[in-house]
Amino acid sequence: MPSKRAKGIASAVAVLALLAVGGGGYLLISLQQEAEAMAVALTGGDPSRGKDLALQFGCGSCHAIPGVRGADRRVGPSLDGIAGQVYLAGVLTNSAENMIRWIEDPQGVDPLTAMPRTGATGQDARDIAAFLYTLR
Ligand code: HEC
């Protein structure tokens, strides 16, 4: 039979473990919120709309993109961590305006690139850029 004291310790450990898991979850949520707030500040776009648009415009038929359903192709580079990359497609410095420009008209930036126009322009391109900047 475990002593009363051992039971007491066991339940204290269980409570601490629950608190640790809860705290970790909270930290993850707040990191995600921080990434989204940064992305909004950088682009003026809406990251959650942008995530849906990345699916609609078929970005995932060529790119691996975390969080986008079915986006696991390797025709182009993975967009995981794109927010922290220095250059876009090796030709543009990675700024919000350049990201939008690239999404709207890649071959206008680099005529030799294999990435086609997808039809994402204006607010749609801005929202997709906002989503991409959450990928840190
Ligand atoms: C037909 C395939 C294809 C589709 C569809 C496509 N891309 Fe690309 N994308 C590429 C290729 C190939 C590259 C590499 C271009 C280069 O380096 O010249 C690229 C490069 C990029 C880059 C720069 C990546 C880096 O690491 O520098 C971004 C950002 C990007 N694409 C976003 C998008 C978004 C957003 C969409 C959807 C709106 C999209 N792409 C749709 C093929 C595609």
Side-chain angles (χ1 to χ4, degrees):
M1 266 301 264
S3 71
K4 217 173 178 179
R5 182 148 177 266
K7 276 189 190 162
I9 291 172
S11 53
V13 167
V15 167
L16 283 178
L18 276 176
L19 284 176
V21 169
Y26 180 73
L27 185 68
L28 278 180
I29 290 167
S30 60
L31 282 175
Q32 181 60 26
Q33 281 172 343
E34 190 195 314
E36 286 187 15
M38 290 261 292
V40 170
L42 276 170
T43 60
D46 175 346
S48 73
R49 183 169 181 269
K51 186 175 173 179
D52 293 341
L53 291 169
L55 180 67
Q56 280 174 39
F57 282 102
C59 313
S61 61
C62 292
H63 293 285
I65 317 172
V68 175
R69 190 165 15 102
D72 57 4
R73 304 293 304 282
R74 301 307 295 262
V75 178
S78 167
L79 301 183
D80 192 9
I82 189 78
Q85 195 165 295
V86 175
Y87 293 103
L88 297 175
V91 289
L92 293 170
T93 52
N94 188 357
S95 67
E97 290 316 309
N98 282 341
M99 178 75 89
I100 292 165
R101 192 175 151 205
W102 177 263
I103 292 169
E104 288 183 327
D105 185 12
Q107 292 172 352
V109 173
D110 177 2
L112 292 180
T113 186
M115 177 164 155
R117 278 185 172 199
T118 60
T121 56
Q123 191 62 41
D124 290 346
R126 187 171 295 279
D127 290 344
I128 293 171
F131 165 60
L132 294 181
Y133 281 120
T134 67
L135 306 177
R136 297 203 277 180

